[in-house]
Amino acid sequence: MARPLKASEESHEQKLPCRLLVEGGADFHFFSHLFVKRGMYAKQQGKVIPKGFEIRASGDCNQVINGLVQLKEYELDALGIVVDADLTLADRWKAIRTTLSDLKLDYEIGDQPDPLGSIIAGKKRLGIWVMPDNQIPGIIEHFISWMVPEKTENALWQHAEQAIKTLPGGPLFLEKDSAKAHLATWLAWQEEPGHPIGLAVSKGYVQAESPTVDNFIDWIKRLFQLT
Amino acid sequence: MSTLHLDSLEIKNFRCFEHLVIEKLGRINLIVGKNSVGKSSVLEGLQIYANRGDAYNLADILKYRREMDYADLTENNDRYRINLTHAISFLFHKRTHEIGDNTPISIGPTIPQGQTFKLNIMWYGEIRTDDEPRLVGPLTPDTYDQFSSLIPRITVQIGDQQPRSFPATYNRTVSLRSTSKEGERIPCCHVPVNGLARDSITPLWDRAIIQQDKTLLKHIISALIPDIADINLLNNTIIAIDTINTPPLPIQTFGEGLMRAFGISLALVNSRQGFLLIDEFETGLHHTIQTDVWRFIFSIAKSLNVQVFATTHSWDCVEAFEKAAAEDQNEEAMLIRLQQKRDGSGIEAETYNERALEIVTRQGLEVR
């Protein structure tokens, strides 16, 4: 009997020996379109065609970290995970270390993430990127906000920030998610309002060519040995 | 507290394994992997380890794979004697193992503590004095020409103990005798793909009765099928008596699955302080009953100090195994995948402990 297919929420049809695990469907589409814009993935008839590595989305940060078990998969050459640091980067890093040890995965990770993205040698190559930049607390939306064009002079961006800071009765969302609220608010006011982060890249609302993305792209290329 | 007989496994020069290392074993081990990566060979290796290279057991293993007949047909010119050496050479990594080759089959934990078992076929020399002929050996090649006749013998060695040897040829008219010492063997029961052989059920049943395990067996069976009130042995057949007093019926009447489950439980109680080996666990078992069977294995294996090794090809079996493992209080399950090394240099093992197993079943990741 075939095993039930529940490997991830989102994945490409193509199965490739290198794999990037990300936190959810929205992140999946963000990275897919980012890689298209950066010339790493192709796009045919509106459909993203992965090259060299595939992306899989898991439900949340814990599920992505648990996904480290995929390092035991026979067909796999390299695995990268992208997780949010959230409020404390050190705690996230510790959770990764603990899971590696619990799963008896023989990978030595340093005391803190490499600012350029961690790559750890082992039976397979393991890459870890802690959003936004491996150095400060935060989430993927911080990383995306750095791609917002001319942010300091961008009136709409400033206005959105002002708006979420002055919500009547205070915010309903958690403090750690304010970057998410900020970005979503700003996206709500674009020419086509309310697009998710994936379309924000493909529509060019945020700049895929932003130099703030370079370290991340370099990390992907080193991890998956892309030329 | 009961400790595991083997906490790890290292097999050298045996079947498809030039050198296989499994760093960590659990109490209940499920072995997965594609065809011809040696799942059944691990079970054979454990049988040989447990039986200390007993000739009777070796012949059993070779017969099961038809290697005994083959060697006998093609390479033996002696009508009156069976030559075990030809057949046993099949067990070595390179099947053309030469007598006197100094590389034995070696099976044991990775950190030996004196338990590693070694088996080889070596030349012995015969010295004829006035009285009895005397055997000297095992010989090294440089001493072969000091003897007028050389005799092959099967040598076995446990840890650093003095090696023992036994004859490699047998008179056809005399049945093969056990060559190991009773106290030295580790109890070991093997449930083949097709279930227990009919003639092995009676001795196992008898031993279960003597060990006062009937209540336990009855308990296992009625947990699977509540209608069954009692079980018994009648003319080599296990019969079940149901609660509504219909005449006793062969247990097969209740389905192949129950017969399989009963065979496993009978073998389990007979593996006290030893190994239970189950080839292709899922055979005949519908996926809904597989978890129940694993449940009784987990609970009884611990109390009888049995270490279990099963093989499977089935995803259902992996899921049922995980479910029973998660319910069990002890961290004792291990999934072991055998696979060709990527560089083609042999076979390696990847292990999944309970935590890893929980994630792969939850995320539906391929492990087989």
Side-chain angles (χ1 to χ4, degrees):
Chain A
M1 190 195 136
R3 91 199 144 83
L5 191 72
K6 53 184 171 184
S8 51
E9 294 181 336
E10 296 267 4
S11 60
H12 305 292
E13 282 164 25
Q14 294 86 343
K15 296 283 163 271
L16 294 167
C18 291
R19 192 178 300 155
L20 186 69
L21 299 183
V22 301
E23 281 192 19
D27 295 16
F28 172 88
H29 291 291
F30 168 74
F31 289 114
S32 294
H33 290 295
L34 178 64
F35 296 138
V36 171
K37 287 274 184 185
R38 283 287 185 136
M40 296 154 79
Y41 276 8
K43 198 169 182 181
Q44 282 171 8
Q45 292 152 350
K47 207 169 163 190
V48 175
I49 315 290
K51 285 195 288 189
F53 67 100
E54 57 166 315
I55 313 174
R56 286 193 189 178
S58 290
D60 58 22
C61 176
N62 285 333
Q63 287 190 42
V64 171
I65 295 175
N66 280 340
L68 288 168
V69 77
Q70 295 175 36
L71 287 165
K72 291 174 186 275
E73 271 181 38
Y74 182 57
E75 308 287 347
L76 198 81
D77 290 333
L79 182 76
I81 64 167
V82 179
V83 290
D84 288 342
D86 287 337
L87 293 177
T88 322
L89 176 70
D91 287 353
R92 188 62 15 103
W93 192 248
K94 198 174 143 201
I96 294 170
R97 181 197 302 283
T98 308
T99 301
L100 284 171
S101 146
D102 286 353
L103 298 176
K104 303 281 177 267
L105 288 161
D106 196 13
Y107 292 82
E108 279 294 320
I109 65 171
D111 292 337
Q112 51 199 13
D114 183 332
L116 298 175
S118 308
I119 296 179
I120 301 108
K123 206 170 159 189
K124 315 280 170 87
R125 271 188 322 282
L126 166 63
I128 307 168
W129 184 279
V130 189
M131 282 289 170
D133 69 348
N134 299 297
Q135 297 173 83
I136 57 168
I139 57 179
I140 188 173
E141 282 77 7
H142 287 108
F143 179 87
I144 301 172
S145 72
W146 298 336
M147 299 161 69
V148 170
E150 288 136 15
K151 220 166 77 175
T152 43
E153 295 101 54
N154 188 323
L156 210 53
W157 180 260
Q158 305 298 334
H159 190 69
E161 184 171 22
Q162 210 46 47
I164 66 156
K165 275 185 179 163
T166 52
L167 289 171
L172 297 173
F173 50 81
L174 297 173
E175 168 64 26
K176 77 174 179 72
D177 287 330
S178 59
K180 194 172 181 175
H182 186 178
L183 185 67
T185 306
W186 179 72
L187 285 172
W189 298 336
Q190 301 301 310
E191 200 180 332
E192 291 175 38
H195 278 313
I197 52 178
L199 278 172
V201 184
S202 61
K203 296 273 178 192
Y205 300 157
V206 296
Q207 292 176 319
E209 293 309 320
S210 164
T212 58
V213 180
D214 290 352
N215 280 349
F216 177 77
I217 296 294
D218 284 347
W219 170 73
I220 291 281
K221 287 181 174 170
R222 281 185 289 128
L223 173 61
F224 298 136
Q225 301 188 334
L226 310 171
T227 47
Chain B
M1 204 191 103
S2 52
T3 53
L4 297 179
H5 304 289
L6 284 172
D7 59 0
S8 57
L9 183 65
E10 184 170 27
I11 300 180
K12 287 185 200 165
N13 200 26
F14 177 68
R15 296 282 198 199
C16 55
F17 309 125
E18 192 175 359
H19 186 186
L20 176 76
V21 174
I22 307 176
E23 292 287 355
K24 184 122 179 57
L25 296 175
R27 176 172 295 285
I28 319 286
N29 303 276
L30 182 60
I31 306 171
V32 297
K34 291 184 177 151
N35 284 322
S36 65
V37 289
K39 297 190 293 295
S40 300
S41 301
V42 170
L43 302 191
E44 286 180 342
L46 289 164
Q47 277 188 73
I48 293 171
Y49 175 82
N51 287 291
R52 302 313 197 196
D54 187 271
Y56 194 85
N57 173 248
L58 289 177
D60 243 12
I61 288 171
L62 295 163
K63 274 181 205 156
Y64 192 75
R65 292 217 197 195
R66 302 264 160 188
E67 288 160 335
M68 196 79 163
D69 317 350
Y70 179 79
D72 212 32
L73 279 172
T74 54
E75 300 184 46
N76 195 359
N77 300 319
D78 188 337
R79 290 169 56 197
Y80 303 103
R81 295 185 76 76
I82 296 171
N83 189 338
L84 267 180
T85 59
H86 302 308
I88 287 179
S89 68
F90 279 100
L91 296 173
F92 287 79
H93 179 58
K94 293 197 170 63
R95 285 175 192 174
T96 50
H97 183 79
E98 303 259 334
I99 300 168
D101 181 330
N102 218 8
T103 319
I105 289 171
S106 159
I107 304 167
T110 51
I111 302 161
Q113 301 160 330
Q115 299 134 291
T116 301
F117 169 80
K118 288 181 182 152
L119 180 135
N120 209 344
I121 315 166
M122 300 296 282
W123 289 115
Y124 280 67
E126 199 172 50
I127 300 175
R128 286 193 178 277
T129 50
D130 293 342
D131 6 291
E132 296 274 290
R134 199 160 57 84
L135 280 176
V136 181
L139 302 178
T140 49
D142 55 315
T143 55
Y144 289 166
D145 54 10
Q146 294 170 18
F147 299 88
S148 54
S149 75
L150 294 173
I151 295 162
R153 288 177 71 84
I154 295 159
T155 62
V156 295
Q157 187 180 11
I158 300 160
D160 299 328
Q161 291 174 27
Q162 200 52 24
R164 279 192 298 113
S165 72
F166 52 88
T169 59
Y170 293 86
N171 192 321
R172 276 187 200 281
T173 56
V174 181
S175 61
L176 200 55
R177 274 175 315 198
S178 185
T179 55
S180 60
K181 296 180 202 152
E182 180 72 43
E184 185 178 271
R185 290 196 297 267
I186 300 168
C188 179
C189 278
H190 174 226
V191 184
V193 180
N194 302 326
L196 296 172
R198 204 179 143 104
D199 60 1
S200 68
I201 289 175
T202 305
L204 290 176
W205 173 266
D206 290 351
R207 197 139 33 110
I209 297 300
I210 293 164
Q211 289 175 163
Q212 300 184 308
D213 285 330
K214 194 179 160 188
T215 318
L216 183 58
L217 288 171
K218 219 164 71 179
H219 180 74
I220 293 170
I221 294 305
S222 52
L224 296 173
I225 302 204
D227 287 347
I228 294 176
D230 198 9
I231 42 171
N232 245 314
L233 185 77
L234 191 69
N235 189 23
N236 272 346
T237 302
I238 299 293
I239 52 157
I241 296 125
D242 69 15
T243 47
I244 46 172
N245 284 326
T246 45
L249 293 165
I251 200 166
Q252 284 90 338
T253 318
F254 294 84
E256 275 307 305
L258 191 66
M259 186 58 210
R260 176 78 175 168
F262 179 77
I264 290 171
S265 54
L266 189 58
L268 176 60
V269 299
N270 276 282
S271 308
R272 251 192 190 77
Q273 308 293 336
F275 299 112
L276 169 65
L277 314 173
I278 308 168
D279 219 345
E280 292 187 25
F281 179 90
E282 72 277 14
T283 313
L285 295 175
H286 188 259
H287 69 90
T288 51
I289 204 181
Q290 289 188 23
T291 314
D292 295 330
V293 176
W294 280 123
R295 279 190 187 113
F296 79 67
I297 292 176
F298 272 88
S299 75
I300 294 168
K302 174 86 175 172
S303 58
L304 301 185
N305 193 21
V306 179
Q307 193 170 15
V308 181
F309 295 83
T311 68
T312 189
H313 286 116
S314 143
W315 175 254
D316 288 340
C317 179
V318 174
E319 282 195 314
F321 178 69
E322 192 278 327
K323 202 166 172 208
E327 288 169 12
D328 188 73
Q329 296 302 308
N330 311 293
E331 282 275 323
E332 302 203 295
M334 189 71 77
L335 183 94
I336 300 160
R337 184 180 66 233
L338 298 179
Q339 59 200 22
Q340 287 283 347
K341 286 186 198 163
R342 297 283 287 265
D343 63 4
S345 68
I347 293 180
E348 60 180 4
E350 182 66 84
T351 55
Y352 292 77
N353 60 15
E354 285 199 17
R355 173 83 201 283
L357 193 56
E358 184 196 339
I359 298 167
V360 296
T361 48
R362 206 193 303 145
Q363 299 194 358
L365 299 169
E366 185 58 272
V367 290
R368 293 166 299 169

